[in-house]
Amino acid sequence: MRKPDVIMRHSHAKIPLRSLQVFEAAARCGSFTAAGTELGITQSGVSRQVADLEAVLGVALFTRNGARLTVTSAGQRLADQLADAFARTWAAVAEATRSDQVVILSMLPSVATRWFAPRLGRFMAAHPEIDLRITASRHLVDFAAEGIDAAIRYSPAPSPDLAATKLADETVRPVCTPDYARKLGLSAPDDLGRAVLLHGDIPENWDAWFAAAGCAQDPQPGPRLGDDGAILQAVLDHQGVALGRSLLVADDIASGRLVTPFETSLAASHAYWFVRPDSSPPTKATSAVQAWLLHAFGKDG
């Protein structure tokens, strides 16, 4: 009764890994020629490897109509599985060969551009031995699958399955350029009725700020930009007034590029957190990055 299993194992053992790699590239590229260019072999070499793989598996992986190449349904299923397997394999290889001094840190694009990038030189001067690599994205990273060591997250509270340290709270208040404030004569909150209000996706919105400022009028509708970096760039280009997160606008206010025309501010419901997987202890380099961030955020706060 166990013979089929033995035969199946033997059959799979005879499939060269190279043939699987060549097939996955051909399916992804949609062309034997393109796959050959990527892998550094000839078009005929790709064709031969795919044909040998089809013979071993006993299924057609492509349908060929002259020069046109189409992946079969069976071939697509295999290609999808191989793409995932190869991605995990190379991630595992990278993890195994990575130095303990490498730290991959994820953060929002707005935090990367508006807060971290101007301070990169300070970090490098403090820790020249650490190879810090920043990934900027808006999605919640999968630490294991994406090979991320730690992240700066902006949230009310981190996930309970993560080791988390609060870096800073912040406030939110209107910001604009000095020229824009002067041009519109922004001296009282009600003057914002003459301004273009830029809207973001943070919980502290214009309705909440107008209520806190005691304005009788409702905020005017205006352009909505989902990313704080884009909103602040529009503000710097004299396009309107936005609710700026204190840490992201601190440098621009200090330099005079932006001003806060009114004193009323909102306490942000979100905070900055340093988070990492709780399943294993941090490396010495990751701990050093955390300590530096705590100091830097605390100094700015």
Side-chain angles (χ1 to χ4, degrees):
M1 292 296 293
R2 299 182 62 185
K3 279 189 175 181
D5 290 339
V6 175
I7 292 172
M8 185 66 72
R9 285 199 297 271
H10 286 176
S11 176
H12 284 185
K14 294 178 182 177
I15 301 175
L17 178 61
R18 181 62 168 170
S19 294
L20 295 173
Q21 182 185 18
V22 170
F23 161 70
E24 187 277 331
R28 174 166 40 81
C29 296
S31 160
F32 286 172
T33 301
T37 300
E38 177 181 304
L39 298 173
I41 60 177
T42 63
Q43 183 270 349
S44 60
V46 174
S47 179
R48 183 171 61 254
Q49 294 260 19
V50 170
D52 290 345
L53 181 59
E54 288 177 321
V56 172
L57 296 178
V59 296
L61 301 174
F62 293 97
T63 57
R64 300 162 177 82
N65 185 7
R68 183 172 180 176
L69 197 66
T70 304
V71 185
T72 65
S73 58
Q76 190 61 59
R77 289 194 299 272
L78 177 60
D80 291 342
Q81 294 287 339
L82 288 174
D84 180 67
F86 286 141
R88 290 180 178 275
T89 298
W90 294 126
V93 170
E95 178 64 26
T97 58
R98 200 174 84 192
S99 166
D100 287 341
Q101 295 298 83
V102 173
V103 176
I104 301 178
L105 182 66
S106 171
M107 63 185 72
L108 287 168
S110 57
V111 176
T113 57
R114 307 300 307 179
W115 187 86
F116 189 81
R119 292 159 179 78
L120 178 59
R122 298 184 209 170
F123 176 84
M124 293 173 64
H127 293 287
E129 78 285 0
I130 296 178
D131 182 1
L132 183 63
R133 304 176 187 181
I134 303 300
T135 65
S137 65
R138 290 177 61 84
H139 73 279
L140 295 180
V141 298
D142 183 327
F143 288 94
E146 299 178 46
I148 304 296
D149 295 303
I152 299 174
R153 286 187 175 164
Y154 186 65
S155 65
S159 173
D161 63 341
L162 297 174
T165 301
K166 182 183 281 191
L167 296 171
D169 294 305
E170 68 176 355
T171 57
V172 177
R173 67 172 57 179
V175 294
C176 63
T177 61
D179 287 345
Y180 193 87
R182 188 164 44 249
K183 179 181 177 182
L184 271 69
L186 301 181
S187 59
D190 285 332
D191 295 334
L192 288 173
R194 301 190 294 271
V196 175
L197 300 184
L198 302 173
H199 297 257
D201 58 3
I202 60 175
E204 297 72 40
N205 56 26
W206 280 112
D207 287 322
W209 188 86
F210 269 55
C215 290
Q217 60 180 305
D218 293 327
Q220 298 296 316
R224 182 171 294 276
L225 294 85
D227 178 70
D228 281 289
I231 292 173
L232 292 176
Q233 187 58 55
V235 172
L236 287 165
D237 289 337
H238 317 286
Q239 301 298 311
V241 184
L243 288 172
R245 288 156 49 184
S246 55
L247 286 168
L248 298 190
V249 299
D251 291 343
D252 293 308
I253 291 173
S255 69
R257 291 188 295 268
L258 293 179
V259 294
T260 56
F262 318 110
E263 290 300 318
T264 301
S265 63
L266 300 172
S269 59
H270 288 39
Y272 293 101
W273 300 84
F274 181 87
V275 298
R276 60 172 184 80
D278 198 21
S279 55
S280 59
T283 65
K284 184 177 179 180
T286 301
S287 295
V289 171
Q290 177 179 345
W292 184 88
L293 288 171
L294 271 169
H295 174 76
F297 270 92
K299 181 179 179 181
D300 290 346

